[in-house]
């Protein structure tokens, strides 16, 4: 906003921010009037609108898509209460967000903020169904990102309006990570730098990696914690912060330091038939760049995105 770009965020409980990721509006305890904390950052700033919307996902997302067409200079975002709630706007996603450029040459910079992560909250509150978005991805029509640090989240949103071209951006936003100190970024990382599509964490490898784990989102921190607690010095972890588009060259470069035939595993919290695995398998097969055997670590195939039992979730997470 200070740089002249209008900001418009609508969604269910957007003012408070799902999982308290923002507090855009403060309410006076005496008379109840609202104060926007982002409205007076600079004398000549652009407008900042953060508004709560009804539980009418198709209507709200459809309106915001149209708004983004008329305001290409603005950061226009729709936030779901949970990522799963995008289900109720699927017709808008299919008919407009994913295909408008191909059908009508209409470019949109709309942002979807979809909380995603397996955290004992049940089958309807765990998965934003990244597999659906990946199945719609072709010809660089959309962007699908899973930022795992505060700086990454900031830079990918800023990139959305600073770029000269416009593509819909699907952000699988954090949930419990908002309260994880490991995700925090120093101010210098926000004021400088850019969004990184791939982050490599080689740890303290003693003599090369025995395993390379590819993953995205919250499960990275679970893997990192397990590696540290068990003092594993033979495992490297690579975070794919942008799932699409992702060039083969960028991923190949991230794997350059690992010996040929090092075991590479895609690790996801989702069941095997969901998440990103089927997309990667269709793209790369059983060998990644003909150099690395590629397999998956995931929950078993399931008809439901997640279990409805907290005890079953804990058991599944330990097994994973």
């Amino acid at each position: 906003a200070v740089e002249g770009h209008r900001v418009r965020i609508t969604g269910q409980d957007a003012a408070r921010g799902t999982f308290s990721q923002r507090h855009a509006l403060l309410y006076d305890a005496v008379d109840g009037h609202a104060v926007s904390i982002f409205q007076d950052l600079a004398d000549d700033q652009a407008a900042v609108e953060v508004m709560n919307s009804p539980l009418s996902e198709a209507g709200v997302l459809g309106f915001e898509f149209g708004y983004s067409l008329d305001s290409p200079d603005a950061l226009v975002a729709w936030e779901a209460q949970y990522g799963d709630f995008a289900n109720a706007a699927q017709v808008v996603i299919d008919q407009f967000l994913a295909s408008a450029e191909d059908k009508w040459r209409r470019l949109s910079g709309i942002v979807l903020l979809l909380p995603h992560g397996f955290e004992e909250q049940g089958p309807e509150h765990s998965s934003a169904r990244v597999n659906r978005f990946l199945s719609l991805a072709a010809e660089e029509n959309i962007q699908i990102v899973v930022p795992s640090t505060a700086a990454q989240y900031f830079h990918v949103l800023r990139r959305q309006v600073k770029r000269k071209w416009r593509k819909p951006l699907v952000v699988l936003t954090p949930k419990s990570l908002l309260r994880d100190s490991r995700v925090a970024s120093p101010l210098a990382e926000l004021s400088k730098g850019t969004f990184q599509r791939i982050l490599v964490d080689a740890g303290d490898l003693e003599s090369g990696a025995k395993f390379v784990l590819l993953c995205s989102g919250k499960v990275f921190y679970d893997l990192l914690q397990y590696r540290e607690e068990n003092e594993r010095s033979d495992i490297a972890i690579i975070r794919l912060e942008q799932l699409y588009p992702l060039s083969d060259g960028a991923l190949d470069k991230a794997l350059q330091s690992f010996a040929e035939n090092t075991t590479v595993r895609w690790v996801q919290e989702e069941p095997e038939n969901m998440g990103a695995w089927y997309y990667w398998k269709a793209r790369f097969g059983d060998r990644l760049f003909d150099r690395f055997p590629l397999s998956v670590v995931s929950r078993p195939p399931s008809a439901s995105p997640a279990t409805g039992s907290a005890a079953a979730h804990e058991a599944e997470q330990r097994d994973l």
Side-chain angles (χ1 to χ4, degrees), residues 231-247:
E231 299 180 345
R232 293 294 298 268
S233 58
D234 58 348
I235 295 174
I237 308 174
I238 296 178
R239 276 173 283 176
L240 300 187
E241 299 280 288
Q242 179 163 306
L243 298 179
Y244 187 87
L246 180 66
S247 70

Side-chain angles (χ1 to χ4, degrees), residues 8-41:
R8 176 182 173 87
I9 303 176
T10 60
Q12 299 122 10
D13 208 13
R16 184 186 64 88
T18 301
F19 305 101
S20 300
Q21 62 172 299
R22 79 181 69 85
H23 296 279
L25 296 183
L26 303 179
Y27 293 90
D28 188 287
V30 177
D31 61 19
H33 80 276
V35 177
S36 172
I37 66 172
F38 298 122
Q39 202 58 60
D40 298 309
L41 301 176

